[in-house]
Amino acid sequence: MLQVICGFVVGLLLAGLGFGLAGGGVPGLIVAVVLAALGYIAASTLTEPERRIGKMLVSALPNGQKAADTIDAANARLNSTQSPCSPSKYVTQPSKPKPMTSSPLPKI
């Protein structure tokens, strides 16, 4: 949310400054729109929180972004599998024994 607010404020300030410096009118509106978009993108990017692996910044590690992506993929796979405590769809419950209608002993 902070990214959006900062981006909007910076874009609005740059748009007003560009409109004033361009002298208003149609050229001022064009400059204002371009500066508003660039200001929004720049402020949103700069206020993005830095990712961490443990206590280390991802940008400080060699191949840090690749490591963070690998960790995210592994977490997604873990979250998508079933819990080891829950019954699997391949495990069947034992069936109840059928009541016997005849004696298991042979007739004499």
Side-chain angles (χ1 to χ4, degrees):
M1 187 68 179
L2 179 65
Q3 293 171 295
V4 174
I5 294 170
C6 288
F8 183 78
V9 170
V10 170
L12 188 64
L13 290 174
L14 285 177
L17 183 66
F19 185 78
L21 289 177
V26 175
L29 286 175
I30 294 171
V31 169
V33 168
V34 170
L35 286 177
L38 291 175
Y40 178 82
I41 292 169
S44 297
T45 303
L46 291 174
T47 56
E48 184 176 348
E50 185 74 28
R51 291 198 58 192
R52 294 178 179 266
I53 298 176
K55 293 187 179 194
M56 291 293 300
L57 295 174
V58 168
S59 60
L61 298 170
N63 294 327
Q65 187 58 46
K66 186 175 179 182
D69 293 340
T70 304
I71 290 170
D72 290 341
N75 285 335
R77 276 195 306 264
L78 282 174
N79 292 335
S80 69
T81 61
Q82 288 186 349
S83 168
C85 297
S86 65
S88 173
K89 63 182 178 179
Y90 302 110
V91 176
T92 59
Q93 298 296 323
S95 61
K96 293 182 180 178
K98 295 180 182 177
M100 295 176 39
T101 56
S102 64
S103 173
L105 299 173
K107 292 183 181 180
I108 302 180

